Amino acid sequence: LDDRELKLERARWSSEREQLQRRYQLAMAGADRAAMGVYAAQINQAEAQLALAEERLARVTLVAPFDGVVISGDLSQQRGAPVELGKLLFEVAPLEGYRVVLQVDDREIGLVAVGQEGELVLSSLPGRALPFTVRNITPVATQKDGRNVFRVEAQLAPAQSVRLRPGMEGIGKVTVGEASPLRVWTRNFVDWLRLALWNWMP
């Protein structure tokens, strides 16, 4: 990130601290206790601002916590643009130990639990189902294509990562239990009807 303004701020507070220290020494030589107290407080404030500038400078260089490849984000489109705190710049995926990220509709999230198993079929590998196990369920929903979805993370079986690449997409199915075909086909409609009736009731 651009550190020119932060370096100028660090230089300004460093110069301010040196000036205050000289004034403090002059006040000490003149035995002016009131001025010494004022300058000591101002020196502490300048040192705090200088430490803050140093901390911000230390965070100018962003380093990923692991080796991997960038799967989203374009540096050429972001040069010179301001960066907001918390803004997503890049997504980096590790080259080993792939995770499956499922986007589960909020109507279905109640059926999913940690430890359940499922299968994933990728668009680039349509003839091969990859088994996985659900490891984590994010408790907060996000908007995707006009729907509320929950992020569910799953772990592929170790032997299934041979031909995978970061960013692949497909369809995943989680085994949540057994039900009759009629219940499976009509469940969404029945749930919608129950919610609608509850909403209409006084």
Side-chain angles (χ1 to χ4, degrees), residues 70 72-79 89-90:
V70 176
S72 70
D74 187 359
L75 179 63
S76 63
Q77 299 295 327
Q78 301 188 34
R79 285 191 184 275
L89 298 178
F90 301 98

Side-chain angles (χ1 to χ4, degrees), residues 80-100:
V83 177
E84 299 176 1
L85 184 64
K87 180 180 179 181
L88 180 65
L89 298 178
F90 301 98
E91 284 188 289
V92 181
L95 296 175
E96 297 180 357
Y98 292 103
R99 289 183 304 171
V100 176

Side-chain angles (χ1 to χ4, degrees), residues 39-155:
Y39 290 139
Q42 291 178 346
I43 289 172
N44 290 335
Q45 180 183 5
E47 288 179 344
Q49 293 291 340
L50 182 59
L52 180 60
E54 292 283 0
E55 182 182 352
R56 289 178 176 173
L57 275 170
R59 293 184 293 182
V60 165
T61 301
L62 306 178
V63 181
F66 51 82
D67 294 335
V69 294
V70 176
I71 59 174
S72 70
D74 187 359
L75 179 63
S76 63
Q77 299 295 327
Q78 301 188 34
R79 285 191 184 275
V83 177
E84 299 176 1
L85 184 64
K87 180 180 179 181
L88 180 65
L89 298 178
F90 301 98
E91 284 188 289
V92 181
L95 296 175
E96 297 180 357
Y98 292 103
R99 289 183 304 171
V100 176
V101 177
L102 305 171
Q103 303 289 346
V104 181
D105 193 281
D106 60 354
R107 294 174 297 180
E108 313 287 342
I109 194 62
L111 302 173
V112 182
V114 174
Q116 290 176 336
E117 296 182 349
E119 289 184 331
L120 170 69
V121 175
L122 297 171
S123 301
S124 57
L125 300 171
R128 183 176 180 185
L130 307 177
F132 62 79
T133 304
V134 175
R135 296 300 185 195
N136 185 38
I137 301 174
T138 304
V140 180
T142 58
Q143 284 284 330
K144 185 176 179 65
D145 300 329
R147 301 181 301 123
N148 284 337
V149 296
F150 286 83
R151 176 188 172 102
V152 176
E153 296 183 1
Q155 185 69 46

Side-chain angles (χ1 to χ4, degrees), residues 148-191:
N148 284 337
V149 296
F150 286 83
R151 176 188 172 102
V152 176
E153 296 183 1
Q155 185 69 46
L156 287 174
Q160 304 298 327
S161 304
V162 180
R163 299 172 56 188
L164 301 182
R165 296 292 181 271
M168 285 183 169
E169 295 185 354
I171 298 176
K173 293 183 178 181
V174 180
T175 304
V176 297
E178 295 183 359
S180 65
L182 180 61
R183 170 59 180 156
V184 173
W185 294 333
T186 61
R187 180 169 50 84
N188 289 338
F189 174 74
V190 171
D191 291 343

Side-chain angles (χ1 to χ4, degrees), residues 28-44:
M28 183 184 298
D32 188 350
R33 293 184 179 274
M36 288 172 59
V38 172
Y39 290 139
Q42 291 178 346
I43 289 172
N44 290 335

